[in-house]
Amino acid sequence: MSLPPEKASELKQLIHQQLSKMDVHGRIREILAETIREELAPDQQQLSTEDLMKALRRRGIIDDVMKELNFVSDNVDQELPSSPKQPVCFTERPSTLLKKSDGTRMADSTTMLSISDPIHMVLIKTDIFGETTLVASYFLEWRSVLGSENGVTNLTVELMGVGTESKVSVGILSIKLEMYPPLNQTLSQEVVNTQLALERQKTAERERLFLVYAKQWWREYLQIRPSHSSRLVKIFAQDENGINRPVCSYVKPLRAGRLLDTPRQAARFVNVLGYERAPVIGGGGKQEQWCTLLAFLCRNKGDCEDHANLLCSLLLGYGLEAFVCVGTKAKGVPHAWVMTCGTDGTITFWESLTGHRYIHRATNLDEAPVAEQPKPLYPYRTIGCVFNHQMFLGNCQPSDSVEICVFDLNDESKWKPMSEEAIKSVCAPRATTSLPPFPPLCASSIDASVTSNEIEMQLRLLVSEHRKDLGLTTVWEDQLSYLLSPALASYEFERTTSISAGNEEFQDAIRRAVPDGHTFKGFPIHFVYRNARRAFATCLRSPFCEEIICCRGDQVRLAVRVRVFTYPESACAVWIMFACKYRSVL
């Protein structure tokens, strides 16, 4: 039985897709490498096709493929056996295996041309101490490969610096793009160029319209109260490349998969990412730079806005109604934090730099207080606006003080909203002006046990050398060091959940380990980096820790314990505890 040409082409495509799904090409490459390494004679230059087929049969690859290749026709809901040695027959079965609408087929070139998301490339420099620096961030338009012959094209792009150096070239990058598996039909370069030109035109028009709307919204906001001009209402923010983007585009719901189980654990993850303000050349105020999520995660540190955007995205992913707040803290310092609105009206502030949570209770100035109101625990003083991926609201209450602010976001007399349609036009997923979809979080590549041991051994060496310089001997007590572990685990648990647990057992164990007439001292400290020498220098700046490390007396025994807690994207919390016990001499 012969198939029409179009059906034969379709069948080939289905077979190719099934082979790709089974990773047949990868398995063949592995077998080929093994066969060449184990069976090819030294004087034999190449492997024959017959030898390769024998190796494939011997390892069952061909049998596996023949068992798996079962397809369903789109015209008749029937199964076509794939073995050419058997007679062709048809059997009735439900038509649910392969259909054009179920996403099991590879997209054709026309469909791929409509995918406007660029490839985001980030260049990071890491020094010998593990400190990272963001060098370049580039959005690659990859669709030129759809119009190239054989699905292969070579590109050369110039990488520019970031922040204040965004106009300075840092190097040239040569890129080879190849479509795999190859497309059945490529497009003409003219079609590709036309599509890209139309998208650029559409993007420019959307950005122009949003800018016109934003200016009109700002004029209306100032007409409410002239003093609004001094409030921190942030509509646009520059990314690492110096491009102005609507702040709503920096936030999108982000699911952490199985890497983070709870919103509070997500807050702890964001907290242990390093804090670093954008560098400023010369004097003046703070440098304006909000990082895209990929650039922030790649360098594992960023400013308060980067932390707030990431935490808000994660909380949205957990189904909470979350917003980034832009305002000030003590002494009028600009700051960004996160707010969640509960279904019962509870307003919770999340400080992304520390992981702390605060419940907001507005102070009503019209009512005489029954008793003197305690000062709020949170560090925030004023608030100018709140936003997420769908909403932007400017604070238009008479006072922008957080303490007396009412967070009824549906009350337009207190919060002036932007049009959600206008925001959607430039910030919605797949909008040509928005940032590409956020990448999924990566599991940690750090071995917590190994890293903990390495840092602990380095600290022991540093302490011994320091005491030797002071003319002191050092005797370590391994059992006492081990007893410090529960305390470190308890500290991290408390940072994550705000619940204290396990201290009773730790204190009881220490009492049993310290003989009568002896004194015990301990000093815990927390870091978000794994540089032992840097951590030791910081510890020595604490008078209490220095007193333990430089302890003098009778029967002095020292202990140190390190516990590394890993989080996604190679972020980690490092807890260190120095301790000593000695005989008290009066």
Side-chain angles (χ1 to χ4, degrees):
M1 184 185 76
S2 62
L3 292 174
E6 63 274 9
K7 285 299 175 185
S9 175
E10 184 178 339
L11 184 59
K12 289 179 182 178
Q13 185 177 359
L14 294 176
I15 292 174
H16 186 84
Q17 181 186 359
Q18 187 67 16
L19 293 178
S20 301
K21 182 179 178 181
M22 295 171 62
D23 193 24
V24 172
H25 299 89
R27 295 166 67 184
I28 290 176
R29 282 194 294 269
E30 292 176 1
I31 292 173
L32 179 60
E34 291 178 6
T35 304
I36 292 175
R37 184 173 59 253
E38 298 173 2
E39 302 180 12
L40 196 62
D43 57 342
Q44 194 174 351
Q45 297 297 320
Q46 60 183 2
L47 190 70
S48 67
T49 304
E50 183 179 355
D51 292 337
L52 177 59
M53 293 301 295
K54 287 180 181 179
L56 294 177
R57 289 192 184 96
R58 190 162 59 249
R59 289 166 172 80
I61 299 297
I62 295 179
D63 290 339
D64 291 346
V65 171
M66 302 310 291
K67 289 177 183 177
E68 292 291 334
L69 286 179
N70 292 308
F71 300 103
V72 173
S73 169
D74 279 334
N75 290 337
V76 289
D77 299 333
Q78 298 160 334
E79 183 178 341
L80 178 64
S82 59
S83 176
K85 297 181 180 179
Q86 299 176 357
V88 176
C89 60
F90 295 91
T91 56
E92 295 292 335
R93 63 175 296 166
S95 57
T96 57
L97 183 58
L98 292 175
K99 285 290 184 182
K100 292 181 179 179
S101 60
D102 67 0
T104 57
R105 295 182 182 175
M106 180 177 173
D108 57 23
S109 54
T110 303
T111 303
M112 297 189 72
L113 184 60
S114 65
I115 301 175
S116 59
D117 297 325
I119 297 174
H120 190 185
M121 301 185 297
V122 174
L123 180 61
I124 297 292
K125 180 177 68 175
T126 305
D127 63 18
I128 58 175
F129 301 108
E131 292 297 312
T132 57
T133 304
L134 179 62
V135 178
S137 174
Y138 187 82
F139 292 91
L140 175 67
E141 177 52 70
W142 58 273
R143 286 174 290 176
S144 60
V145 72
L146 298 176
S148 61
E149 296 183 5
N150 302 322
V152 180
T153 187
N154 293 287
L155 301 174
T156 300
V157 299
E158 183 179 17
L159 299 180
M160 310 300 288
V162 296
T164 55
E165 301 178 4
S166 59
K167 304 299 181 183
V168 180
S169 175
V170 297
I172 303 296
L173 182 65
S174 297
I175 303 171
K176 178 181 179 181
L177 295 178
E178 180 177 357
M179 293 297 303
Y180 184 82
L183 296 171
N184 292 332
Q185 181 180 5
T186 59
L187 302 173
S188 69
Q189 199 63 51
E190 182 181 0
V191 171
V192 175
N193 293 338
T194 301
Q195 172 71 13
L196 299 182
L198 288 173
E199 287 184 5
R200 285 192 292 269
Q201 183 179 356
K202 184 178 180 181
T203 297
E205 180 62 14
R206 285 187 174 184
E207 290 177 344
R208 185 189 68 81
L209 291 175
F210 183 79
L211 180 60
V212 170
Y213 170 77
K215 288 181 176 180
Q216 177 61 29
W217 183 93
W218 177 248
R219 283 193 293 267
E220 294 174 357
Y221 182 72
L222 294 181
Q223 289 172 4
I224 297 174
R225 199 172 285 108
S227 61
H228 285 178
S229 60
S230 62
R231 296 188 179 183
L232 282 179
V233 179
K234 192 76 175 170
I235 303 176
F236 295 92
Q238 285 188 355
D239 66 8
E240 63 268 20
N241 292 322
I243 298 175
N244 274 316
R245 298 182 183 275
V247 292
C248 295
S249 65
Y250 290 89
V251 176
K252 287 187 178 69
L254 177 62
R255 299 199 306 182
R258 300 187 185 276
L259 301 178
L260 299 169
D261 294 324
T262 66
R264 296 193 185 190
Q265 194 176 13
R268 178 59 174 158
F269 157 60
V270 176
N271 158 222
V272 299
L273 292 171
Y275 170 66
E276 181 183 77
R277 297 182 62 176
V280 179
I281 299 177
K286 176 184 175 183
Q287 171 66 28
E288 172 70 20
Q289 179 179 311
W290 290 26
C291 274
T292 55
L293 179 62
L294 183 61
F296 176 40
L297 292 177
C298 285
R299 67 172 181 159
N300 258 337
K301 56 186 176 182
D303 213 332
C304 61
E305 295 88 357
D306 304 324
H307 287 78
N309 290 334
L310 174 57
L311 179 56
C312 183
S313 298
L314 287 167
L315 297 182
L316 288 169
Y318 281 110
L320 301 180
E321 186 179 13
F323 298 86
V324 175
C325 303
V326 179
T328 63
K329 51 183 183 179
K331 299 181 180 179
V333 177
H335 191 61
W337 66 98
V338 178
M339 172 185 76
T340 54
C341 306
T343 54
D344 59 353
T346 302
I347 301 299
T348 305
F349 293 148
W350 303 64
E351 177 48 59
S352 56
L353 295 180
T354 63
H356 293 161
R357 300 166 64 252
Y358 309 96
I359 303 299
H360 173 264
R361 294 179 176 86
T363 302
N364 192 340
L365 299 180
D366 297 332
E367 296 179 0
V370 178
E372 185 178 353
Q373 297 292 324
K375 289 186 177 181
L377 298 176
Y378 49 76
Y380 319 120
R381 295 295 177 263
T382 67
I383 182 167
C385 64
V386 300
F387 66 88
N388 60 19
H389 63 303
Q390 294 177 328
M391 301 172 64
F392 183 96
L393 302 107
N395 182 7
C396 54
Q397 299 173 62
S399 171
D400 61 353
S401 172
V402 177
E403 187 176 355
I404 62 175
C405 185
V406 177
F407 287 91
D408 182 3
L409 302 183
N410 295 318
D411 188 346
E412 295 191 9
S413 67
K414 295 180 172 62
W415 294 92
K416 179 174 174 57
M418 270 194 171
S419 165
E420 292 189 23
E421 287 299 320
I423 295 173
K424 186 177 179 180
S425 69
V426 291
C427 299
R430 304 297 178 185
T432 53
T433 57
S434 69
L435 291 165
F438 285 175
L441 296 178
C442 295
S444 177
S445 59
I446 300 172
D447 188 317
S449 298
V450 172
T451 307
S452 299
N453 287 334
E454 290 177 349
I455 298 176
E456 190 170 308
M457 291 300 102
Q458 293 173 26
L459 288 175
R460 283 197 176 198
L461 181 62
L462 291 169
V463 170
S464 298
E465 291 177 346
H466 185 74
R467 288 177 61 84
K468 184 178 179 180
D469 293 340
L470 298 175
L472 301 173
T473 59
T474 304
V475 180
W476 296 100
E477 185 172 317
D478 292 338
Q479 177 62 16
L480 184 60
S481 296
Y482 180 73
L483 295 183
L484 304 178
S485 294
L488 301 183
S490 176
Y491 299 150
E492 181 63 19
F493 182 77
E494 185 175 358
R495 284 291 182 97
T496 304
T497 64
S498 301
I499 299 173
S500 178
N503 286 328
E504 298 83 0
E505 294 86 350
F506 167 67
Q507 293 173 5
D508 185 68
I510 294 299
R511 290 191 187 100
R512 292 177 179 274
V514 179
D516 292 340
H518 285 65
T519 300
F520 171 84
K521 293 181 179 180
F523 178 80
I525 191 169
H526 167 256
F527 300 98
V528 296
Y529 52 81
R530 306 188 300 277
N531 188 323
R533 189 172 295 275
R534 178 182 171 190
F536 182 67
T538 302
C539 291
L540 286 179
R541 288 198 288 268
S542 166
F544 195 80
C545 185
E546 185 186 22
E547 181 182 346
I548 293 174
I549 293 174
C550 305
C551 181
R552 300 169 183 263
D554 187 23
Q555 299 180 18
V556 175
R557 298 293 183 268
L558 295 177
V560 62
R561 194 64 172 175
V562 177
R563 183 71 167 86
V564 175
F565 297 88
T566 59
Y567 289 90
E569 299 291 340
S570 298
C572 63
V574 180
W575 282 96
I576 301 173
M577 190 169 188
F578 290 99
C580 69
K581 68 176 182 179
Y582 57 92
R583 184 178 179 183
S584 302
V585 179
L586 297 177

